[in-house]
Structures are given as C-alpha cells and as structure tokens.
Amino acid sequence: MSKGLIVITGASSGIGAATARLLSSHGHPLLLLARRIERLQALALPATLCRAVDVTDAGALAAAISEAEAQFGPVDAIVNNAGVMLLGEMSKQDPAEWQRMLDVNITGVLNGIHAVLAGMVARRHGTIINISSIAGRKTFPNHVAYCGTKFAVHAISENLREEVSASNVRVITIAPGAVETELLGHTSDAAIKSGYEDWKQEMGGVLAADDVARAIHYAYSAPQNVCIREIVLAATRQPA
C-alpha cells in the first residue's frame, strides 16, 4: 500500500526540513512549501513537489495542494510548521512585527487547515499537525505578541479537534521548547537575541530540529483511531 501525501509548510529549514527528511525516509510523497524554493529543492527528496508559497496567501496554498493531490493522491496529513518569532518589549516593539506574527502564525495555520480539511472530513480520514510552542502554554519575557499567537494555535487546534473528531480526523499539537533553528534570527532586538542565546548556553543546549521531527512522526504514525492530542517536549535542562 502506498504511503499518503504529506504537506509541510515552512519546510526550507529547521523543524520543517528535518520533518521532510524523516517522513520522506519512511516513503511518503511530500508537498514542501516555503518562500525559499531553492532551499526546498536542495533537500533533493524523492516523490516531492516543491513550491514557493507564502502561507498567508490562501489561494497559492490551495493551488499547490491541488497540484500535489493530482500527482500523489489526497492529502493524508498537513504539518502547519511555518512560523516567525519576533521577540520584543511591548512598549518598544514595532507593531509591524506583531502583524507579521499574526499573519503567519495564526492566519497561515488557518489557511493550511482550510485547504485540506473538507477533503479529510469527506474521506473520514486525515491528520492535521500544528506546530505550536511551550510559549503557547506559558508566558516568557519579551514574548507578548509571540505568546499570543501560539496560545491561539493551541486554542484553534483543540477546538478543531473537538469539531472534527466525529469525522475520524485527527488534530495534533506539537509544543517544543527552545529548538536550535533559524527562528531566533527573525528577532530584530540585538540585546534580546543575545540574552536568549545566553539562556540556551546556560542550560547546556536545546532541542535539535530532528528531535521535534521524531515527535511529529511518532504522533502521526499512531493508528488513525488513536489521536495523540498534544506533545510537549523540551531539553531536559530547560527549566521553564
């Protein structure tokens, strides 16, 4: 039996790229989406369609999924991984940074869900995996707007899970702690970035993207009648 198509957003680096490599190694055809298509193509994975798509563009996202389904069959799972983390003190932060996080971290997730959900409900089969954060469960200094977006991902995921459970569609939230990715590089405040790096060093390092990818695969690979609703993972020495 052939493996189902999996869509991964934000697949050009970090958790998205690691997840793409792992799921491809298990024989899944993939649709990889990111703005940097050359990074997607450099992964050189078999049975993979790469498209330059910004998740805030619902039309482009839906078109890419339709193209992939024509080639590989219906979407079995989507990993809504695209996200930005722009840390800052609320009194000083440029409101454009809040808006970018709202657009990508919330609207982008909703766009991904919307693009695949009707088909999954009709087939009574499918899995939606939303990448949130420990910052969607508790607050951290300089994370006000970012925490707001990740708390929203948790709420969206759990409410959606309740809504579609009777249709045999699974909704899974993955909430990592600090991960060694490009995410911190988005932050424009040098002092906050430096403090965050110091915090990572104090605890002897953080999760690798591959650690999160394995958690995603673990949750997805459970039988369809088993929904691992949420996985929270962090470096053992991460205190908060």
Side-chain angles (χ1 to χ4, degrees), residues 1 3 11 18 29 34 36 51 79 85 92-93 98 106 114 118 140 143 180 191 203 228-229 234:
M1 182 177 175
K3 297 289 185 75
R36 299 176 295 182
R51 290 292 178 264
V79 182
M85 182 175 75
K92 301 175 182 177
Q93 191 171 24
W98 315 337
I106 300 178
H114 190 257
F140 293 88
H143 282 58
E180 198 60 64
M203 61 179 150
I228 298 170
R229 299 180 182 183

Side-chain angles (χ1 to χ4, degrees), residues 11-32:
S12 59
S13 66
I15 294 169
T19 302
R21 288 190 295 265
L22 181 59
L23 293 175
S24 178
S25 75
H26 285 274
H28 288 278
L30 301 174
L31 170 61
L32 303 184

Side-chain angles (χ1 to χ4, degrees), residues 97-182:
E97 294 190 346
W98 315 337
Q99 192 60 54
R100 180 63 181 157
M101 287 188 284
L102 291 168
D103 290 344
V104 176
N105 298 358
I106 300 178
T107 304
V109 169
L110 290 170
N111 286 342
I113 292 167
H114 190 257
V116 301
L117 187 60
M120 289 180 176
V121 169
R123 293 187 298 272
R124 299 185 62 82
H125 191 94
T127 304
I128 292 169
I129 302 172
N130 295 329
I131 308 304
S132 185
S133 169
I134 282 181
R137 297 171 54 88
K138 67 179 300 298
T139 58
F140 293 88
N142 306 312
H143 282 58
V144 173
Y146 180 73
C147 280
T149 66
K150 291 303 186 177
F151 268 73
V153 172
H154 270 76
I156 289 164
S157 300
E158 180 59 11
N159 204 166
L160 178 65
R161 185 196 62 75
E162 295 172 354
E163 184 175 303
V164 299
S165 60
S167 298
N168 199 45
V169 175
R170 303 184 299 180
V171 182
I172 297 166
T173 306
I174 306 291
V179 184
E180 198 60 64
T181 71
E182 297 179 3

